[in-house]
Amino acid sequence: MFPIDRSLLPSLSTRRALIVVDPQNDFLSEDGALPVKIPMDLPERIADLATSFRKSGGDVIWVCSRFEKSRSILEEQVLTSERSGIPRSPDMSRGRRRQASPQLIQGPCECPEAFLTQESAKVPKCVRPGTPGIDIHPVVKEAVGSRDYSVVKSYYSAFRSEQLLRLLRMRLVTELFICGAMTNISIMATAVDAASHGYTITIVDDCCGYHNMMRHRNAVKQIANTTGCDVLSAEGVLASFKPKPKPSRKPSDRPATSPGSRYSSPILPSSKHLRKISHCRFNPW
């Protein structure tokens, strides 16, 4: 084998991206068609996170929903009840897309949170073209940067839009941070699909909106079991970007020398002294 000079090999620096799912008036405004209840200051949290994330050098991608036609929840991984999904099977690999849980396939969906599945009159009409509800919330809109990216989806998962996958590949993004609305619907579907494409995922827990605490917790648990993702707060995410300082050693931190160590190696004469000794005559008297 011939030696390889690693300095001559091309190096590619990968990137991280923040995906904000459904930051629209229908979900974030009090008068929206399906406003999230928790947390109440979700628009401000998302705006602050996006601004700080951008300053840290990451990409910010805004993903908005638009209703085109009714989408079956059987095609995607969403949670529409307080029960958690089926447990993770031992032979389930990270790169395979999981099938829908049995709890989701019994009759027509009547969960109001399934806003893209119009199978019941109980489901509100959300993100319809030409309505104010489809627009980004004003507080969040102020945080949108000129170099941010926008993606429109008509499914629960943002990855059903080929535009997002092409964008991430073009930007060499390998690490995704996901937040927005709602944890058990679009965030869950997006995270599971992201794992099937091999991305490293972090759910920004305190920047995810939801209506029911139990569904939120069960959704986060199922996402973690399915994808192996991390779950961090916004503060924890930003703290992880900061370089860790190298520990500095002080003179007082040097290890103490044991008394016997001074005799561990003999003191040899220098070459100059050896030359002098070689020229001396031996006189036994």
Side-chain angles (χ1 to χ4, degrees), residues 34-151:
L34 190 62
V36 297
K37 300 179 181 179
I38 311 171
M40 295 298 295
D41 59 342
L42 182 59
E44 289 77 13
R45 295 189 183 196
I46 292 176
D48 293 341
L49 174 61
T51 302
S52 300
F53 194 95
R54 190 185 306 109
K55 290 180 180 179
S56 70
D59 293 335
V60 180
I61 304 174
W62 307 93
V63 180
C64 295
S65 292
R66 179 176 62 197
F67 182 87
E68 293 181 354
K69 64 177 183 179
S70 181
R71 305 294 186 185
S72 173
I73 59 174
L74 305 184
E75 301 177 1
E76 303 184 68
Q77 185 76 14
V78 296
L79 190 63
T80 56
S81 73
E82 281 70 29
R83 295 170 52 195
S84 59
I86 57 177
R88 185 180 184 182
S89 58
D91 59 345
M92 178 62 66
S93 65
R94 185 174 179 179
R96 296 179 182 177
R97 181 174 298 166
R98 297 188 58 171
Q99 300 298 321
S101 303
Q103 62 162 334
L104 302 179
I105 58 178
Q106 300 173 358
C109 177
E110 296 184 353
C111 176
E113 295 177 334
F115 61 94
L116 294 178
T117 307
Q118 295 294 325
E119 298 176 352
S120 170
K122 297 181 180 180
V123 179
K125 296 182 178 180
C126 297
V127 292
R128 299 301 175 98
T131 64
I134 200 173
D135 297 331
I136 294 180
H137 189 276
V139 174
V140 178
K141 193 172 184 178
E142 292 181 0
V144 177
S146 58
R147 296 189 177 183
D148 292 352
Y149 300 91
S150 298
V151 174

Side-chain angles (χ1 to χ4, degrees), residues 170-191:
M170 179 186 67
R171 298 290 297 168
L172 299 179
V173 172
T174 59
E175 190 173 3
L176 299 179
F177 298 81
I178 305 176
C179 68
M182 295 169 279
T183 311
N184 56 305
I185 303 295
S186 294
I187 291 176
M188 185 174 185
T190 299

